[in-house]
Amino acid sequence: GNLPVASCKKMKKALLVVLCLVPVCVSFAPPPGVTRRRPRETKVFTGGKEDMKRRLLQEASSPWRTVRGFFFGAFGLSAAVGGFTALTQLAASVAGREDALPLTQSLTNVGVDAAVVVASIVGWSLDQKAAADVTREPLPALTQDESEERTSQLLRLRVSVGLGDARREASLETLRAVAKQSVIVVGGPTPSVDDALRDAFIQQKLFVDAETLVVPVRLDPTTGDLDPADDDRPMYRAGFVAVPLDDGWADFLRTEIATAKDQGANTASKDGIVIAVRKDASTARRGVGKPPWKQLIDDIQREASSSSS
């Protein structure tokens, strides 16, 4: 009888929630003396191994993505509710009500909530884009004759490699056979190639340790011709970057993009092509989109180790 009225109302609401949940819990419980058998799972064969591989690749490249998605959603929803409340407070402040918050404080509250909502949306969008990049499937394998011919054409192309004044020109075949370097070619429109190389530059120790060169082949989005590398940018002067030298690169890449489109990758000309060649001149990957660098390096090293043993 001494409890405040507000506390009594809260207790009644809590009791009502519990009473509503009791039938739900009872419906899931088996009758007395009966043990509920676990229903048999229906197996749907939709390329399970490939699906699992893509999920593992996605998680390895972007760990805790599910957790981040939860926090993005929780913060965004909380800020949206807070923003609605802040807007009502702002309306009261503008109207000049006596019990309203100061106008500057109301504006600050609205701004903070709006900033959190925008940040949550941007963060979630970037996470989704990264996941989409990682889950790109490799292109179907070429026939053995086609693969050998393409690899031969690729290895004849020339690049500039090295640091500062020590840079020198050589064919990829020389770098592969003499310097024992694996090669990853990233080609496509200049913006997509720059984006991929920027990520590689952050992880450049991977390529040094794996003795792997990256060849960024930039095509002018308007003309489709070879767009010279920007030597003023540090990522194009890194030791693991081999700069393409002649127009043969553009011809080679256009052929690869046309082949990818014939194989169903209609976005190849926009998203770019990735070709990885191991030290033994075998092709590790032909794919579309931004490469998941660490996984690609792991694949190259794993195959190289197994073939040498």
Side-chain angles (χ1 to χ4, degrees):
N2 296 327
L3 289 174
V5 176
S7 298
C8 291
K9 289 183 178 179
K10 289 182 180 179
M11 292 179 63
K12 289 181 180 179
K13 288 182 180 179
L15 181 61
L16 181 60
V17 171
V18 173
L19 292 176
C20 291
L21 289 175
V22 168
V24 178
C25 297
V26 171
S27 67
F28 283 100
V34 177
T35 301
R36 175 169 290 179
R37 296 180 60 187
R38 186 177 180 178
R40 180 175 297 177
E41 295 181 355
T42 302
K43 295 183 178 180
V44 181
F45 295 95
T46 57
K49 290 184 178 179
E50 292 299 322
D51 292 341
M52 178 62 70
K53 182 178 179 180
R54 284 194 295 272
R55 286 197 294 269
L56 291 175
L57 181 64
Q58 179 180 354
E59 181 61 27
S61 179
S62 182
W64 306 105
R65 190 175 66 87
T66 303
V67 176
R68 290 197 303 274
F70 169 78
F71 281 111
F72 286 144
F75 289 151
L77 180 61
S78 176
V81 174
F84 177 77
T85 303
L87 285 174
T88 59
Q89 294 173 344
L90 178 61
S93 299
V94 172
R97 290 177 50 180
E98 294 182 358
D99 57 344
L101 295 174
L103 182 59
T104 54
Q105 183 176 348
S106 297
L107 288 172
T108 301
N109 292 342
V110 171
V112 169
D113 289 326
V116 173
V117 170
V118 171
S120 299
I121 293 174
V122 171
W124 181 85
S125 300
L126 293 176
D127 233 16
Q128 294 299 310
K129 181 180 183 299
D133 288 335
V134 169
T135 53
R136 298 286 176 86
E137 295 185 15
L139 294 170
L142 299 174
T143 65
Q144 183 174 354
D145 290 342
E146 289 176 329
S147 179
E148 290 178 354
E149 176 61 25
R150 293 287 178 85
T151 302
S152 177
Q153 293 174 2
L154 175 62
L155 294 178
R156 287 197 297 267
L157 296 173
R158 299 183 65 80
V159 296
S160 171
V161 66
L163 291 173
D165 296 335
R167 293 191 74 89
R168 60 189 178 87
E169 298 181 7
S171 68
L172 290 184
E173 174 59 24
T174 300
L175 294 171
R176 182 199 68 81
V178 179
K180 305 300 181 183
Q181 297 283 315
S182 299
V183 177
I184 301 175
V185 176
V186 183
T190 296
S192 64
V193 174
D194 286 348
D195 186 30
L197 189 60
R198 192 176 299 113
D199 289 348
F201 184 69
I202 296 173
Q203 309 172 67
Q204 56 184 301
K205 189 175 184 299
L206 284 174
F207 305 95
V208 175
D209 293 343
E211 298 180 329
T212 300
L213 295 173
V214 175
V215 184
V217 186
R218 311 195 311 171
L219 296 182
D220 188 297
T222 304
T223 64
D225 296 331
L226 187 66
D227 189 3
D230 189 351
D231 293 335
D232 293 334
R233 303 175 71 177
M235 65 182 181
Y236 280 97
R237 292 186 275 109
F240 72 95
V241 175
V243 178
L245 289 178
D246 53 56
D247 291 336
W249 280 101
D251 296 335
F252 176 82
L253 194 61
R254 282 193 288 263
T255 301
E256 284 290 331
I257 290 175
T259 301
K261 287 183 176 180
D262 290 340
Q263 293 177 325
N266 297 322
T267 62
S269 58
K270 180 183 70 173
D271 296 336
I273 293 287
V274 179
I275 304 169
V277 179
R278 303 185 186 98
K279 299 174 184 178
D280 62 359
S282 63
T283 301
R285 177 187 176 99
R286 291 178 63 253
V288 174
K290 182 164 51 174
W293 292 114
K294 188 176 187 308
Q295 285 68 42
L296 187 53
I297 290 292
D298 288 344
D299 288 343
I300 291 175
Q301 289 183 312
R302 187 181 306 116
E303 294 295 337
S305 299
S306 62
S307 62
S308 61
S309 59

